[in-house]
Amino acid sequence: MLDRALTLDELLCFALYSANNAMGRLYRPILARHGLTYPQYLVLVALWQRDEQKVNDLGAGLNLESNTLTPLLKRMETAGLLRRRRNPEDERSVIVSLSEQGRALEREAAEISRCILEASGDEVADLIELRTKIQELAGRLNRLV
Amino acid sequence: MLDRALTLDELLCFALYSANNAMGRLYRPILARHGLTYPQYLVLVALWQRDEQKVNDLGAGLNLESNTLTPLLKRMETAGLLRRRRNPEDERSVIVSLSEQGRALEREAAEISRCILEASGDEVADLIELRTKIQELAGRLNRLV
DNA sequence: TGCGATTTAATCGTGTGCGATTTATCTGCG
DNA sequence: CGCAGATAAATCGCACACGATTAAATCGCA
């Protein structure tokens, strides 16, 4: 089956790719006003949720590894958003914690997510259902890797 | 409303980001066997659908601009997947066309998309509905930019 | 106790995405 | 005809993602 040619519009992967790029383009100018990039914002969300996480903990939450996180966290440290220090209990790991500046941004985050929510659609229940479906998909895909 | 802290799992944007990354990780080793990256594969899908497209046409289909496409297409040309030539009718534009090698990969693409389909879920109708919802979201977001 | 295996970050190279700008070509209007 | 404005691609710089590898610290077992 499915011998005929594929089209972009038939590909679930392209729908995801395109929606993710579009979301990034929407967030970028809003986040730029706070000196943030999109992945940096996600790191902050993770830290607002729970401060003092090891790099691996952040990676587990974000599905990223140190090859991506280390340089990203270094840039955020340079920007004064967080601090990185070796875990005294186990010098292999590094503990990431919010700076005052990083914590302060949380108060503006509600505003940001409201902007995005409005842009995403009008029916909140539909968005939640969509989010759940996408999370399930991500879960299935991640389980294969 | 929504004064309390956000969590990653509540963010539609993170669901998208995470699912898109996971999809990329799934595709990467499969595509690597054919010497392709994920965006390069999408370019090929667009060209299989319609050969001889201008850079802007590809960009309209993929929601990308020349700053992304030009280097990507140059790498694909170097790899022998396609050819780029100035439009004789209008030397401003560049026409991208498949090489024999690029065309040949289409036959293996059905195999690739079957792999991904199996990984994505078991109920095809559900996947199609999800894809449609994501496309609608992408459409709404893109319309704002 | 000692030392190989494991764990954790960091490093490196490649390929995107994209805002901003530049270069080349064409169009249309006086 | 000539030239300002528009259009198309290319260029540049920066920040991801990620496979592969490395370096440092800890663990576990003989």
Side-chain angles (χ1 to χ4, degrees):
Chain A
M1 68 164 187
L2 219 155
D3 274 347
R4 63 173 178 67
L6 293 163
T7 68
L8 278 180
D9 288 346
E10 288 170 344
L11 291 177
L12 174 59
C13 73
F14 175 66
L16 270 179
Y17 169 87
S18 185
N20 184 55
N21 282 348
M23 190 68 91
R25 283 192 292 269
L26 191 64
Y27 264 106
R28 188 182 296 264
I30 301 173
L31 293 174
R33 292 203 285 271
H34 303 280
L36 292 174
T37 67
Y38 190 51
Q40 287 174 13
Y41 168 71
L42 295 176
V43 167
L44 287 185
V45 171
L47 287 172
W48 293 331
Q49 191 171 345
R50 184 162 60 89
D51 202 353
E52 307 269 329
Q53 294 193 57
K54 288 179 283 187
V55 174
N56 267 0
D57 296 336
L58 284 171
L62 295 163
N63 293 308
L64 294 173
E65 293 178 35
S66 66
N67 50 4
T68 299
L69 281 174
T70 296
L72 196 161
L73 294 171
K74 281 187 175 177
R75 280 185 289 268
M76 293 180 76
E77 186 177 39
T78 301
L81 297 164
L82 50 78
R83 279 176 312 139
R84 296 156 63 249
R85 65 176 196 282
R86 286 282 162 186
N87 183 355
E89 314 285 309
D90 181 345
E91 293 273 339
R92 287 174 300 184
S93 55
V94 164
I95 296 179
V96 181
S97 53
L98 287 165
S99 69
E100 197 46 57
Q101 186 189 336
R103 218 183 329 272
L105 282 176
E106 184 174 9
R107 289 188 282 280
E108 324 193 27
E111 171 74 20
I112 294 173
S113 55
R114 189 150 28 84
C115 283
I116 304 297
L117 190 65
E118 280 172 19
S120 303
D122 19 42
E123 202 48 76
V124 175
D126 289 350
L127 288 178
I128 290 179
E129 191 197 332
L130 177 57
R131 190 197 64 198
T132 305
K133 293 266 175 57
I134 295 172
Q135 285 168 342
E136 287 166 4
L137 174 63
R140 276 195 299 277
L141 297 177
N142 272 319
R143 229 163 290 131
L144 299 175
V145 189
Chain B
M1 68 167 189
L2 218 154
D3 275 347
R4 64 173 178 67
L6 293 163
T7 67
L8 278 180
D9 288 346
E10 288 170 344
L11 291 176
L12 174 59
C13 73
F14 175 66
L16 269 179
Y17 169 87
S18 185
N20 185 55
N21 282 348
M23 190 68 91
R25 282 192 292 270
L26 191 63
Y27 264 106
R28 188 182 295 264
I30 301 173
L31 293 174
R33 293 203 285 272
H34 304 280
L36 292 173
T37 67
Y38 190 51
Q40 288 174 12
Y41 167 71
L42 295 176
V43 167
L44 286 185
V45 171
L47 287 172
W48 293 331
Q49 191 172 345
R50 185 162 59 90
D51 202 352
E52 306 268 330
Q53 293 193 57
K54 287 180 284 187
V55 173
N56 267 0
D57 297 335
L58 284 172
L62 295 163
N63 294 307
L64 295 173
E65 294 178 35
S66 66
N67 51 5
T68 299
L69 280 175
T70 296
L72 196 162
L73 294 171
K74 280 186 175 178
R75 281 187 287 269
M76 293 180 75
E77 186 177 40
T78 301
L81 296 164
L82 49 78
R83 278 176 314 139
R84 294 157 63 249
R85 65 176 196 282
R86 287 281 162 187
N87 183 356
E89 315 284 310
D90 181 345
E91 294 273 339
R92 287 173 302 182
S93 56
V94 164
I95 296 179
V96 181
S97 52
L98 287 166
S99 68
E100 198 45 58
Q101 186 190 337
R103 218 184 328 272
L105 281 177
E106 186 174 9
R107 288 188 283 280
E108 324 193 27
E111 171 74 20
I112 294 174
S113 56
R114 190 150 27 85
C115 283
I116 304 297
L117 191 65
E118 281 172 19
S120 303
D122 18 40
E123 201 49 79
V124 174
D126 289 350
L127 288 178
I128 289 178
E129 191 198 332
L130 177 57
R131 190 196 64 197
T132 304
K133 292 268 175 58
I134 296 172
Q135 285 168 344
E136 287 165 4
L137 174 64
R140 277 194 299 277
L141 298 178
N142 272 319
R143 228 164 290 130
L144 299 174
V145 189

